[in-house]
Amino acid sequence: MSLPSCGQGGRQPGAELGAVGDVREGFTVGLLLPGEGPDRPLFTRALASLCPRCHVQYANAAGDRARQGRQIGRMLADGVRVLVLGAVDPGTVAPWVARAKLSGAKVVAYDRLANGPVDAYVATDPARVGREQALALLGAMKVAGPVLLLNGPATDPYAATVKRALHAVLDGRVTIGWERDLTRPDEAVREVAAAVAALGGAMKVGGVCCASDAVAEAVAAEMARAGMAGVPLIGHGGRPAALGRVRDGTQTATVRADVVAQASAAARLAVEVAAGRTVYGTAVVSNGTTASIPAVLLPPAVIKKATAHEAPAPGTARGQNARPH
């Protein structure tokens, strides 16, 4: 038997086995994001085009994983049976994903691959992010090295994939002089200072690659203090402040997502899992707790000084590649 669609008793005509919602009747999709960004209006518009009677229930965790857990619990209590989850902490959210599944809900992991029994996943391809960051770093280097790699959290599967892709390009071509997996952006200042001291001075550094533009922001300030003008600095995310740094030359490049395509893909997956359809993506991934997760992995864009002036604001018709992190 199928689970009842939102507010409806029994299975709707034409609904498939395992359906939790019917497009003709409409249902509620819970959109849980780790922070503010252009995703919400883009997702809402994309969902409306696919399911005019569907409704979005939105929650912003403001970077607080405990708060996000409470938000998931409230949505499940409200009867929401399709969750699009941008996890604050992908590595620790598995109990909440499991709770959602026990409640009969479907879960689409958004932007970061949450642990637990998720039904589908959509994100910018982390392997391509790492590759593009590495190529941007190599193309900008003026001295042979060594380079600093400031990666994302070791518990984040997305960050781990970016890291592997970085090494696949850089290993054997440059010397990795300093590498750390950071849990918070503010750790970057300490790491840059320690790396410069260990490597024999600021001008010995060939370049710096950061897991996010939030990390790059902290690094840029420390590089200015340490006299590292001209040392290549690569970020990820496409924050407006990062675009400003790329324009003024204090950050070499940023790699960012096509948030319009990402939000649109998430809306499509939400409708498909709600209807109980077989989900198809561009790849199949594993999150460590669940294997064979269908995934839609989208290509990133690289923004350098030559093209930064063309980069529009997030969420606009021409701002498809903006994605703050």
Side-chain angles (χ1 to χ4, degrees), residues 11 15 17 33 84 196 198 226 239 297:
R11 189 177 177 192
L17 187 65
L33 298 179
V84 174
V196 168
R239 288 183 168 207
L297 301 178

Side-chain angles (χ1 to χ4, degrees), residues 266-281:
R268 175 179 66 81
L269 292 175
V271 169
E272 289 179 350
V273 299
R277 300 173 192 152
T278 300
V279 175
Y280 297 97

